[in-house]
């Protein structure tokens, strides 16, 4: 199975105050579709945890062309590309019922040893992934983070129960939620996210403190999450 498609109806619980698909909910659907595809090729979570392994995302870029609204029927398509050293590229595409492309994403994943918390080589997989070298990239792989020099809005936060996932750390989808929360409901109502790139540099575990620093210049934004004196993650992008 070289790719997988999930079709669903957008639920109200996945939407914001304007009835639009929240960026974090979009990332959750992409993550779940990636998990379904991994399971279909015998490299899913239920198989990997028995080997002490798990998939974790290292970088992701999302480009939104049109934000879908509550009740729309959507399809998320995903496929992987051949691994590069320890990085496993994966791509996503979101279309509506008419086939219009609403969003696209690229990502780089790592295979993590759950005991050492370090990435490992592809030879630890139970079976080789299907050869997808003939599948074209939808958009470029995630590039560099674009910093800004404006004054930062600073917010102190601590990773809580609802931020965590089955791998024992803050789930990758939560960082964009933190970004949207820091921007504020009114700003998100008027200027929702159009494009964002996230670098996941260091995992954040339960109850660990993080300092969020948000900078904005016009439609551009940049946020860092500082933990233990290091940038645990960074996000940059643009709003509509």
């Amino acid at each position: 199975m070289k790719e997988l498609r999930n079709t669903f109806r957008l639920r109200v619980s996945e939407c914001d105050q304007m009835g639009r698909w929240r960026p974090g909910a979009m990332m959750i659907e992409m993550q779940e579709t990636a998990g379904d595809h991994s399971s279909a090729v015998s490299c899913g979570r239920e198989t990997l945890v028995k080997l002490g392994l798990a998939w974790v995302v290292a970088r992701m870029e999302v480009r939104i062309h049109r934000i879908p609204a509550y009740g729309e029927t959507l399809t998320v398509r995903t496929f992987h590309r051949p691994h590069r050293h320890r990085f496993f590229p994966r791509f996503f595409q979101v279309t509506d019922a008419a086939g219009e492309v609403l969003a696209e994403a690229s990502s780089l994943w790592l295979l993590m040893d759950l005991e050492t918390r370090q990435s490992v080589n592809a030879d630890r997989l139970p079976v080789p992934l299907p050869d997808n070298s003939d599948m074209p990239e939808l958009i470029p792989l995630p590039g560099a983070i674009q910093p800004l020099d404006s004054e930062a809005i600073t917010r102190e936060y601590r990773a809580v129960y609802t931020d965590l996932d089955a791998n024992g750390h803050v789930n990758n989808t939560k960082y964009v939620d933190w970004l949207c929360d820091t921007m504020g409901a009114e700003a998100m109502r008027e200027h929702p996210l159009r494009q964002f790139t996230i670098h996941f540099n260091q995992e954040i575990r339960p109850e660990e403190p993080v300092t969020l620093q948000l900078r904005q210049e016009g439609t551009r934004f940049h946020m860092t999450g500082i933990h233990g004196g290091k940038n645990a993650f960074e996000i940059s992008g643009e709003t509509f």
Side-chain angles (χ1 to χ4, degrees), residues 3-54:
E3 66 175 41
L4 186 138
R5 299 170 188 246
N6 277 340
T7 299
F8 61 99
R9 183 171 179 269
L10 191 57
R11 296 164 291 194
V12 68
S13 61
E14 300 168 312
C15 298
D16 64 11
Q17 59 185 328
M18 302 299 292
R20 301 178 301 210
W21 202 9
R22 295 193 321 276
M26 182 185 300
M27 288 184 66
I28 288 173
E29 193 62 43
M30 290 178 178
Q31 176 180 271
E32 293 298 326
T33 305
D36 290 344
H37 187 213
S38 296
S39 294
V41 297
S42 302
C43 291
R45 178 173 178 80
E46 63 278 9
T47 300
L48 293 186
V49 293
K50 297 175 184 177
L51 303 174
L53 302 171

Side-chain angles (χ1 to χ4, degrees), residues 2 26 28 37 54 81 91 104 108 120 129 136 154 167 172 179 183 185 210-212 221-224 230 234:
K2 296 173 70 101
M26 182 185 300
I28 288 173
H37 187 213
R81 289 266 299 160
F91 296 85
E104 296 168 293
L108 289 169
V120 297
L129 293 172
T154 299
N167 291 330
N172 69 86
L179 168 69
M183 285 183 163
V210 58
T211 299
L212 305 177
F221 60 82
H222 172 256
M223 190 170 82
T224 58
K230 299 179 180 179
E234 288 187 86

Side-chain angles (χ1 to χ4, degrees), residues 21-30 57-65 67 92 94 102-108 139-146 172-180 183 188 191-200 214 219-223 233-240:
W21 202 9
R22 295 193 321 276
M26 182 185 300
M27 288 184 66
I28 288 173
E29 193 62 43
M30 290 178 178
V57 63
R59 293 186 178 187
M60 189 164 191
E61 178 171 346
V62 178
R63 300 181 182 182
I64 303 170
H65 309 301
I67 306 175
F92 302 88
V94 180
L102 306 185
E104 296 168 293
S106 63
S107 58
L108 289 169
I139 62 173
L141 288 169
I145 293 292
Q146 301 300 319
N172 69 86
T173 67
K174 287 296 182 178
Y175 296 114
V176 73
D177 286 340
W178 294 358
L179 168 69
C180 295
M183 285 183 163
M188 291 302 301
H191 301 287
L193 304 188
R194 184 182 69 82
Q195 177 273 334
F196 55 92
T197 300
I198 311 179
H199 289 192
F200 306 93
L214 171 66
T219 62
R220 298 172 60 205
F221 60 82
H222 172 256
M223 190 170 82
F233 69 92
E234 288 187 86
I235 310 176
S236 68
E238 293 184 279
T239 62
F240 280 99

Side-chain angles (χ1 to χ4, degrees), residues 74-90:
L74 307 174
T75 297
V76 174
R77 169 191 175 218
T78 188
F79 62 90
H80 63 272
R81 289 266 299 160
H83 66 87
R84 306 179 181 188
H85 303 291
R86 293 190 176 188
F87 288 105
F88 296 81
R90 177 170 287 278

